[in-house]
Amino acid sequence: MKVGALLTSAGINIGLCILFLSFYSVLRKQPQNVKVYFGRRIAEQHKRLRGAFILERFVPSPSWIVRSLQCTEDEIVSTAGLDAVVFNRVLVFSIRIFSLAAILCLFGVLPLNYFGQDMQHEQIPSASLETFTIGNMKEKSIWLWVHCVVLYIISGVACFLLYMEYKHIARLRLLHLVRTTTNRSQFTVLVRGIPKSTHESFNSAVESFFTSYHAPSYLSHQVVYKVGKLQKIVTGAKKVYRKFKHFKGTTVDQTCRSVTYRCCLCGVSSNSFQLLPTEEQEREKPCVKNSNLNLPAEECAAAFVFFKTRYAALIVSKILQTSNPMKWVTSLAPEPKDMV
């Protein structure tokens, strides 16, 4: 591959980036796209959008890039949230590593590779990329140590910057948790796959398990019950079935007679009958009103477990509770609005 082809490819990519940035600078200013690019700000301020025609909306402007570079981390956190700050820090880390590698390679490695052998060099646009690689160096050259030094410098700086970025993001995370209001879901763990036992209910199983293994941090729990629309229909059907069981074995009165209702010139005839229980069943049948027809809600093999600290809830949600990964599966509880 020639250097000129590489420069041409780089020029095409740079041109496409400039074109896409221009499209973005135009689209972000359109009234119909404001909800996409500024949804959080609109949700907080509740401002109405104006649909007046303004020529400036259709002219690309790089001023937003300058304003974005001037924003502080506190402003980004208040406007876009902590995730935007983390993404911004990742970009900054990448730019730093790329800048360091570019400086060391352009002024240290590439000249050594290019003049590594005594040869007639062509002009750079027509030269091959192999002349800029380590393969162009002489065997047992005394300048090979430069490549190793540059590699160690880039690796060491990358590890140091990763440590600093992780430390900085962890501090921002802690500050964000301290400043925000306490959420109940941060102290709650969703437990699934509770093993079914014939000796005790799910409620008792959850209480005995967490009081045995997490007694210092365990607070309380709430078992999940089947209370959906389908479960209501099934429960109603069970209640109706139990009611009809009391009327099992009833007999039909054989002395049915035809009753005719007349209204002027038209009439409808119908046969009336009634269900009469036998005397023996009348004595044995208990009173329906006094019978207990309220069925208890059916428990699910899942529960919400509450802990005293957020750290304890996080640890329980991450560790494996038993040797069987399909039982006592724990995870952080979702937000209350996300649960059905």
Side-chain angles (χ1 to χ4, degrees):
M1 185 177 180
K2 301 296 183 180
V3 177
L6 179 63
L7 296 177
T8 302
S9 177
I12 293 174
N13 290 318
I14 293 173
L16 290 176
C17 290
I18 296 175
L19 180 63
F20 291 149
L21 286 176
S22 302
F23 281 153
Y24 170 75
S25 64
V26 173
L27 293 175
R28 65 187 292 270
K29 294 184 288 187
Q30 304 307 314
Q32 61 271 18
N33 295 331
V34 173
K35 294 181 179 179
V36 178
Y37 297 108
F38 304 97
R40 181 167 180 171
R41 186 181 300 176
I42 293 174
E44 293 176 354
Q45 299 179 359
H46 301 285
K47 289 185 177 181
R48 292 186 176 182
L49 303 178
R50 297 181 180 180
F53 178 79
I54 300 177
L55 182 61
E56 185 183 357
R57 292 176 178 169
F58 300 93
V59 178
S61 58
S63 59
W64 62 273
I65 300 178
V66 179
R67 290 198 301 269
S68 64
L69 295 176
Q70 295 175 351
C71 290
T72 61
E73 290 186 350
D74 294 335
E75 294 176 352
I76 296 176
V77 170
S78 60
T79 304
L82 183 62
D83 293 338
V85 177
V86 175
F87 181 76
N88 189 28
R89 299 299 302 183
V90 172
L91 292 180
V92 172
F93 167 77
S94 302
I95 292 173
R96 289 175 178 175
I97 293 297
F98 178 79
S99 300
L100 175 65
I103 293 173
L104 293 178
C105 292
L106 285 176
F107 298 100
V109 176
L110 292 183
L112 289 177
N113 295 339
Y114 186 73
F115 297 103
Q117 294 184 7
D118 298 332
M119 56 181 296
Q120 184 85 23
H121 292 286
E122 300 179 357
Q123 295 183 355
I124 291 181
S126 302
S128 176
L129 289 178
E130 295 180 357
T131 58
F132 294 93
T133 63
I134 195 174
N136 195 42
M137 295 286 295
K138 294 181 180 180
E139 294 184 3
K140 300 180 181 180
S141 176
I142 60 175
W143 297 104
L144 288 176
W145 62 269
V146 177
H147 297 79
C148 298
V149 171
V150 170
L151 181 60
Y152 278 110
I153 291 175
I154 295 175
S155 301
V157 173
C159 293
F160 176 76
L161 291 178
L162 277 175
Y163 171 76
M164 297 302 295
E165 292 296 334
Y166 178 80
K167 185 177 180 180
H168 182 72
I169 293 174
R171 184 177 61 85
L172 292 178
R173 172 70 175 171
L174 292 177
L175 290 176
H176 177 72
L177 292 176
V178 171
R179 294 173 182 175
T180 55
T181 56
T182 303
N183 193 351
R184 291 172 295 178
S185 61
Q186 298 173 353
F187 298 83
T188 310
V189 172
L190 175 61
V191 182
R192 295 172 295 173
I194 303 174
K196 189 176 182 180
S197 176
T198 57
H199 304 288
E200 58 181 358
S201 61
F202 289 128
N203 193 4
S204 303
V206 172
E207 184 177 2
S208 61
F209 180 83
F210 283 95
T211 51
S212 300
Y213 297 101
H214 305 282
S217 59
Y218 169 73
L219 183 62
S220 62
H221 71 279
Q222 174 62 52
V223 178
V224 179
Y225 294 94
K226 295 181 180 180
V227 293
K229 294 183 179 180
L230 179 60
Q231 185 62 29
K232 290 181 179 179
I233 296 175
V234 174
T235 304
K238 289 181 179 180
K239 290 182 179 180
V240 173
Y241 172 74
R242 292 189 62 178
K243 288 182 180 179
F244 274 102
K245 283 182 65 177
H246 296 290
F247 300 101
K248 185 178 179 180
T250 55
T251 58
V252 180
D253 185 14
Q254 302 297 331
T255 60
C256 298
R257 63 183 181 276
S258 175
V259 180
T260 304
Y261 299 93
R262 295 292 180 181
C263 179
C264 297
L265 300 178
C266 60
V268 179
S269 62
S270 63
N271 293 329
S272 65
F273 64 93
Q274 53 182 326
L275 298 177
L276 298 176
T278 60
E279 295 180 358
E280 182 179 358
Q281 292 173 345
E282 185 69 24
R283 291 192 301 267
E284 296 179 355
K285 182 187 70 174
C287 180
V288 177
K289 295 181 180 179
N290 296 331
S291 61
N292 185 16
L293 298 179
N294 295 325
L295 298 176
E298 188 173 354
E299 293 180 341
C300 297
F304 291 98
V305 182
F306 309 100
F307 293 88
K308 298 178 182 179
T309 60
R310 287 183 290 196
Y311 179 76
L314 180 63
I315 293 299
V316 172
S317 64
K318 298 300 181 181
I319 63 176
L320 193 65
Q321 302 298 324
T322 60
S323 58
N324 188 352
M326 302 303 295
K327 293 182 179 180
W328 297 104
V329 182
T330 56
S331 61
L332 285 177
E335 296 289 340
K337 61 182 179 181
D338 296 334
M339 292 186 294
V340 179

Coordinates of all heavy atoms in Angstrom, one line a residue, residues 11 15 25 51 87 197 261:
G11 N -8.1 11.5 4.1 CA -8.8 12.7 3.6 C -10.3 12.4 3.4 O -11.2 13.3 3.8
G15 N -13.3 14.2 5.6 CA -14.4 14.9 4.9 C -15.7 14.4 5.3 O -16.7 15.2 5.5
S25 N -25.1 19.6 13.3 CA -25.3 21.0 13.7 C -26.6 21.6 13.2 O -27.1 22.5 13.8 CB -24.1 21.8 13.4 OG -24.0 21.9 11.9
G51 N -42.2 27.1 16.4 CA -42.0 26.6 15.1 C -41.7 27.7 14.0 O -42.0 27.5 12.8
F87 N -18.5 9.0 29.8 CA -18.2 8.9 28.3 C -17.2 10.0 27.9 O -16.3 9.7 27.1 CB -19.5 9.1 27.5 CG -19.4 8.9 26.1 CD1 -19.2 7.7 25.5 CD2 -19.4 10.0 25.2 CE1 -19.0 7.6 24.1 CE2 -19.3 9.9 23.9 CZ -19.1 8.7 23.3
S197 N -40.5 -26.2 48.8 CA -40.4 -27.2 49.9 C -41.9 -27.5 50.4 O -42.7 -26.6 50.4 CB -39.6 -26.7 51.1 OG -39.6 -27.6 52.1
Y261 N -97.2 -16.4 29.5 CA -97.4 -15.0 29.7 C -98.0 -14.4 28.5 O -97.4 -14.6 27.4 CB -96.0 -14.3 30.1 CG -95.4 -14.9 31.3 CD1 -94.5 -15.9 31.2 CD2 -95.7 -14.5 32.6 CE1 -93.9 -16.5 32.3 CE2 -95.2 -15.0 33.7 CZ -94.2 -16.0 33.6 OH -93.7 -16.5 34.7

